[in-house]
Amino acid sequence: MSSRVARLTHNTFSRVLDLPPPLVDYDVRRGLRVPMRDDVDLVADHYAPHTGRHAGTLLVRGPYGRGYPFSALFGSFYAARGYHVVVQSVRGTYGSGGEFDPFVNEIDDGADTAAWLRDQAWFTGTFATIGLSYLGFTQWALLTDPPPELKASVITVGPDDVSGPRWGTGSFGLNDFLGWSDLVGHQEDPNRLRTLLRQLGAQRRVSKAALQLPLGAASRKLLGTGAPWFESWLEHPERDDPFWSRIHLRDRLTRAEVPVLLLSGWQDLFVEQTVEHFRMLTARGVPAGLTVGPWTHGELMTKGASTVLRESLDWLATHLGGAAPERVAPVRIHLAGHGWLELSDWPPAMLEQVLHPQPGGHLGAEVPESGTSVTFVYNPADPTPTVGGRLLSPAGGYRDDTELSRRADVRTFTGVPLPADLCVVGQPVLEIDHSCGNPHNDLFVRISQVDAEGRSRNVSDGYVASAPDRGVVRIALDPIAWTFPAGTRIRLLIAGGSHPRFLRNLGTGEPVATATMVRTARHTVHLGEATRLVLPAGPQPPSAD
């Protein structure tokens, strides 16, 4: 692309997204070799701005290649605004040496890349990291022992903990891990048409494989020769297994003092980690910003691109360039029905509203008489399906779940029409007095909004694997910022699974990779004082104070 055409493209892009215009031209030096401590070379591209007043240096490390869209979102976008940008392919991907073993080598390889950066003649003396998803994990890996030159990080929908791999639920995230493994395991296929067709049919193939037994063999049939790591994930189901210690970063982040901007969406699969990152950093006095919008994982750089790029530029200018920040509060959230709110902390102070599931499928403030109960049967051979929610795939997000609420294996409790708007901001919790005849059982719960026509759509989910045979189970649902408008109703759904988002509990206790038998689970929800939905809710949005 010529300099003139590139400049026109950047200007148009900036106007459409209401972003600061590009300032300079730039060159790209491709295929740089970056040596690692074990004599493996990783490959990187360097975007060099044409200016004597550099804004700083940015490092981007990921497994998805250095071409579009990463070249545009991170390389050319920031280079045209005066930053030196290094976009690197991690070990074993897109020309970089070694074998790709997801998450395992990012601490050492990130440190070695920072050391290489330090020795480059064009290096500006300090740098920041940016990136989303896996590109966020590589940033957390570097923050476990941050080099002195690292002055800021912008982490978008990025996890620091994939141990289990559980992502906060106690269950294997089957749809996302199998789908991601299929994508990454075949992404370098030279036949681009075949790759495109594979991606278009990905969800259908993943759902089909996830229903077959044994799961290990069915998954390998889907993956072919790609993603050799997948079976090892299935074979280590326990979170505290030493197998996961190499990629569990949370306990190693206590030394990081680097200012971090955290960007996520309410329907992102990592949102619970993102809000915990904010609490973890601010509790130690580390400068941190948190922005959460009405997006899924994949929408952060499409629907959320304007917000993400604008806030990223501001954070980098503040912490690399010393500019005055445009950000007016540490927390910025999108509250459905009200728009963007600026808050001093997360979660904000809210009133508490308690609702009880009641006989007849009702949901209300009254406490039902003890001794009443409802039952449902979860059948692994016909598992309760996933409808929307925090998925990596395009099938996630806010969806009509009316049919889900009508299934025989789902118990539904619905409130009366609300007399006024109800703002729910924070993390809902369901405490459920529960028993099950099968010791191998899971619980899935959901809050939905029901409109005047009786249609419902999901708002917040919660999941617990290996629920106890008898007792009160506390289930923390997704953090949310949602307004239930006057006239709508709040609905609570309780089921024994959500497949294929979560690995279905086969009810037998056999190893998940090789199990071939299934057993149903009869669940009983005991109604009364102990079973209650606790909502951080009030008639008004939270205050910024």
Side-chain angles (χ1 to χ4, degrees):
M1 183 183 296
S2 70
S3 176
R4 181 177 180 181
V5 172
R7 191 181 304 112
L8 178 62
T9 301
H10 287 308
N11 277 309
T12 301
F13 179 76
S14 299
R15 284 196 302 271
V16 169
L17 295 183
D18 191 26
L19 296 169
L23 303 173
V24 298
D25 290 332
Y26 58 88
D27 292 324
V28 185
R29 186 181 175 194
R30 304 187 187 278
L32 301 179
R33 314 298 296 187
V34 183
M36 301 291 105
R37 65 190 66 182
D38 60 352
D39 297 325
V40 166
D41 285 350
L42 306 189
V43 178
D45 296 341
H46 172 213
Y47 292 73
H50 297 177
T51 177
R53 300 182 61 184
H54 302 108
T57 300
L58 305 180
L59 174 62
V60 184
R61 304 188 63 249
Y64 307 119
R66 303 179 307 283
Y68 185 85
F70 301 97
S71 57
L73 291 172
F74 301 118
S76 60
F77 179 83
Y78 290 100
R81 286 156 179 83
Y83 291 94
H84 283 274
V85 185
V86 174
V87 180
Q88 182 188 66
S89 292
V90 301
R91 180 178 294 254
T93 67
Y94 288 90
S96 288
E99 181 179 351
F100 181 55
D101 191 356
F103 313 108
V104 170
N105 297 292
E106 305 311 346
I107 290 178
D108 290 347
D109 288 355
D112 292 350
T113 301
W116 169 86
L117 196 64
R118 187 180 296 127
D119 293 336
Q120 304 311 299
W122 45 262
F123 180 51
T124 57
T126 60
F127 74 100
T129 59
I130 57 173
L132 77 162
S133 195
Y134 194 106
L135 286 67
F137 182 89
T138 61
Q139 295 183 71
W140 287 121
L142 191 59
L143 285 166
T144 60
D145 188 14
E149 297 87 353
L150 179 58
K151 299 303 180 183
S153 293
V154 177
I155 301 178
T156 304
V157 293
D160 72 305
D161 180 11
V162 288
S163 59
R166 295 172 181 273
W167 295 347
T169 66
S171 179
F172 189 92
L174 180 59
N175 189 87
D176 293 330
F177 267 95
L178 182 55
W180 182 83
S181 295
D182 184 40
L183 169 69
V184 176
H186 297 92
Q187 64 180 351
E188 296 188 56
D189 187 335
N191 187 323
R192 305 312 298 168
L193 177 59
R194 183 166 55 204
T195 299
L196 176 61
L197 293 175
R198 188 177 191 90
Q199 292 174 353
L200 291 174
Q203 185 60 61
R204 176 184 56 80
R205 292 195 319 277
V206 168
S207 297
K208 180 180 178 180
L211 273 174
Q212 299 174 19
L213 295 176
L215 181 59
S219 300
R220 180 47 53 194
K221 182 178 179 181
L222 169 69
L223 298 171
T225 58
W229 56 81
F230 188 77
E231 282 85 349
S232 68
W233 290 349
L234 288 180
E235 292 162 0
H236 296 271
E238 300 300 327
R239 183 171 191 156
D240 57 359
D241 190 317
F243 174 84
W244 300 108
S245 62
R246 299 173 299 172
I247 59 176
H248 177 64
L249 307 183
R250 184 70 51 88
D251 296 336
R252 289 183 270 182
L253 291 170
T254 57
R255 286 181 290 178
E257 303 293 334
V258 176
V260 180
L261 174 62
L262 301 158
L263 300 134
S264 188
W266 295 123
Q267 287 293 305
D268 171 48
L269 70 160
F270 296 127
V271 67
E272 85 289 348
Q273 288 201 40
T274 299
V275 298
E276 179 59 28
H277 294 150
F278 178 78
R279 289 195 293 262
M280 174 183 71
L281 292 168
T282 55
R284 294 195 294 107
V286 179
L290 173 67
T291 296
V292 189
W295 310 305
T296 66
H297 189 83
E299 290 173 344
L300 263 289
M301 300 310 287
T302 55
K303 293 181 180 179
S306 177
T307 297
V308 170
L309 293 172
R310 187 184 308 107
E311 294 196 14
S312 299
L313 284 172
D314 176 53
W315 193 262
L316 295 171
T318 299
H319 296 286
L320 273 186
E326 295 181 5
R327 192 178 191 93
V328 299
V331 178
R332 188 166 183 259
I333 64 167
H334 189 275
L335 171 59
H338 288 269
W340 289 98
L341 301 180
E342 312 285 347
L343 302 174
S344 59
D345 202 1
W346 179 269
M350 294 291 292
L351 300 172
E352 188 174 276
Q353 178 159 336
V354 178
L355 300 174
H356 292 273
Q358 299 172 352
H362 302 297
L363 184 68
E366 302 80 12
V367 179
E369 293 184 10
S370 60
T372 58
S373 64
V374 296
T375 64
F376 63 91
V377 176
Y378 177 76
N379 180 6
D382 180 24
T384 313
T386 295
V387 179
R390 296 191 297 120
L391 291 171
L392 185 61
S393 80
Y398 299 112
R399 301 285 175 173
D400 186 326
D401 62 5
T402 308
E403 292 304 315
L404 178 66
S405 69
R406 294 171 177 167
R407 283 180 60 101
D409 55 0
V410 176
R411 280 294 163 262
T412 301
F413 304 90
T414 308
V416 299
L418 294 169
D421 290 359
L422 184 68
C423 300
V424 183
V425 184
Q427 188 164 38
V429 172
L430 177 67
E431 296 170 356
I432 176 173
D433 189 357
H434 163 264
S435 60
C436 184
N438 187 335
H440 307 290
N441 72 91
D442 297 355
L443 284 170
F444 169 76
V445 298
R446 164 172 286 184
I447 298 170
S448 294
Q449 175 179 297
V450 184
D451 64 20
E453 286 73 39
R455 296 186 299 266
S456 67
R457 66 169 176 165
N458 57 300
V459 174
S460 180
D461 294 346
Y463 199 93
V464 169
S466 303
D469 301 355
R470 182 69 171 90
V472 177
V473 183
R474 184 182 187 275
I475 305 176
L477 282 77
D478 303 330
I480 57 172
W482 188 267
T483 302
F484 290 89
T488 64
R489 293 177 289 164
I490 299 173
R491 171 171 286 170
L492 173 67
L493 285 73
I494 303 176
S498 179
H499 187 269
R501 179 181 175 187
F502 301 111
L503 179 74
R504 57 179 165 163
N505 194 324
L506 298 178
T508 63
E510 296 177 90
V512 297
T514 56
T516 58
M517 304 296 291
V518 299
R519 181 186 170 199
T520 61
R522 177 176 291 276
H523 296 258
T524 301
V525 178
H526 304 276
L527 307 181
E529 179 68 35
T531 297
R532 61 185 201 146
L533 176 64
V534 182
L535 300 175
Q540 299 296 328
S543 167
D545 296 333

